[in-house]
Amino acid sequence: SNMKKILTLGVCIVTMIACTPIKQSTIDTTLQTKVDSILQNKMSEINAISGQAIVMDMKGNIKAMVGNGKKQPSSLMRPISLHKALETGKVHLSDTVDTEEGVAIINGDTIKDHNWHRGGYGKITLKQGLAFNSSIAVTKVTQIAGVEVVDSLVTPLEMLKLFNGIIKNDSVKSALRYYITDGLGQQASSEKVEVAGFSGRRTISEKPEYAVEFIGYFPADEPKYSIIVSMNKIGLPASGGLMAGSVFREIVDCIIK
C-alpha cells in the first residue's frame, strides 16, 4: 500500500543519513584561536566593521576560518586576470606596457592608477605592473592577450579558492613573490619564511566603505598554505598592504614556529 511505501522510503532516507560518514573537520583549533586573536586585534586597531581570515592548505582543506566574510567586489582579482593573460602565451612578464601618466582611456573607459596624481608609472614591465598594482598595466595586457578582465562578487573563501588555482603557474608565482620583495606588499614580508602575495583596497559603498585585503601563500617556492585577510572599514586610511598584510604576516609567523 501507499502507507507502506512511504514508511519504507522514510526508513531508507533515515538509514542513508545515519550511514553517511560525517566529514571530519580540518580546522586546527590551536591555529583557529591564534588567528582569531590576531584578526580581532587588528580590527579593533583600525576600527573595522567586519572581517575574515582564512588559512587553507594546498589540498583545499581549511585549517582556520574566523570572522564573517561578505560576498562583495574584491581588489584581489588582478592576479587572476594576469594568469588568464599569461596562459594564452601572447604576453610575458618581461613585456613592456605603457601606463602613460597614470590615466588611460581603454575601450572608452577612463582608467586611473592609484598614483595618477603623481604622474603615473609610465613605461614599465608587466611584472612591475602587478608589483605596483597598476590597473592600466593589467587591463592593457588582458586586451593584448584577448582575455576579459576578471571581476566578480566573491566571498573571501571563494577568492582564496580562485587564487589557489593560479599559483601552480611559475610566472604568476614569480610575479607574486616580486610583489612582496619590490612592490606594494613589503609589509607582509616575514623574516621566518619567504612569502608571496598580493594586496588591494576596494571601495564597497559611498559611505565611503572600503575593503582592505591581502592574499598570499608560503613558502614562496613551494606553497604549503595560502591565506586571505579581508576587512571592511569606513573612511581613510585604508591600505590592504599595511592593514591586511600585517595580519597575514602575523598568521604566517604563528604557523612557522
Side-chain angles (χ1 to χ4, degrees):
S1 71
N2 274 350
M3 194 62 201
K4 205 167 178 186
K5 276 182 194 160
I6 290 166
L7 276 173
T8 314
L9 183 65
V11 170
C12 293
I13 289 169
V14 170
T15 312
M16 270 165 59
I17 292 168
C19 301
T20 306
I22 294 165
K23 195 171 179 291
Q24 290 299 310
S25 170
T26 57
I27 297 277
D28 173 334
T29 48
T30 312
L31 180 63
Q32 175 91 352
T33 307
K34 287 178 181 170
V35 171
D36 190 41
S37 157
I38 292 166
L39 181 69
Q40 295 302 336
N41 286 347
K42 183 57 75 172
M43 282 177 63
S44 56
E45 183 193 314
I46 68 167
N47 278 327
I49 52 174
S50 64
Q52 188 165 46
I54 306 167
V55 180
M56 192 184 267
D57 69 15
M58 288 298 112
K59 294 188 185 100
N61 297 316
I62 296 170
K63 307 309 283 184
M65 182 152 93
V66 300
N68 53 342
K70 299 176 177 176
K71 202 176 187 80
Q72 63 185 20
S74 174
S75 62
L76 302 173
M77 289 287 183
R78 265 175 214 147
I80 311 289
S81 298
L82 175 69
H83 174 255
K84 268 181 86 171
L86 290 168
E87 290 273 285
T88 65
K90 293 176 189 170
V91 295
H92 304 89
L93 289 181
S94 54
D95 293 353
T96 301
V97 55
D98 187 1
T99 66
E100 303 172 40
E101 289 176 2
V103 183
I105 295 171
I106 304 172
N107 283 348
D109 293 327
T110 301
I111 296 183
K112 290 181 176 178
D113 275 344
H114 59 90
N115 70 333
W116 66 273
H117 52 276
R118 296 196 298 275
Y121 291 116
K123 287 190 172 70
I124 51 175
T125 64
L126 177 51
K127 192 174 187 175
Q128 289 172 317
L130 191 76
F132 305 151
N133 212 338
S134 164
S135 181
I136 295 170
V138 174
T139 307
K140 281 192 172 184
V141 162
T142 54
Q143 273 209 310
I144 295 163
V147 297
E148 295 279 320
V149 171
V150 182
D151 195 15
S152 51
L153 300 178
V154 284
T155 63
L157 182 58
E158 289 165 342
M159 187 66 233
L160 192 55
K161 286 177 177 172
L162 274 176
F163 185 73
N164 276 7
I166 68 167
I167 58 180
K168 294 170 182 75
N169 179 303
D170 284 342
S171 291
V172 171
K173 280 188 355 202
S174 154
L176 293 169
R177 175 65 187 146
Y178 189 71
Y179 189 84
I180 304 289
T181 57
D182 294 72
L184 302 181
Q186 292 171 32
Q187 294 293 331
S189 186
S190 165
E191 290 184 2
K192 294 187 176 185
V193 63
E194 288 195 352
V195 303
F198 191 73
S199 63
R201 174 180 88 198
R202 188 79 183 248
T203 307
I204 300 299
S205 76
E206 297 306 312
K207 284 174 187 171
E209 180 182 340
Y210 298 103
V212 291
E213 303 173 287
F214 188 93
I215 196 162
Y217 58 87
F218 73 93
D221 51 349
E222 282 205 26
K224 285 193 172 63
Y225 294 99
S226 60
I227 300 167
I228 188 166
V229 179
S230 178
M231 296 176 286
N232 283 25
K233 73 182 297 283
I234 306 294
L236 296 170
S239 162
L242 279 169
M243 294 168 174
S246 59
V247 173
F248 169 85
R249 185 192 67 243
E250 284 185 61
I251 294 172
V252 169
D253 287 350
C254 89
I255 297 173
I256 304 273
K257 300 293 183 285

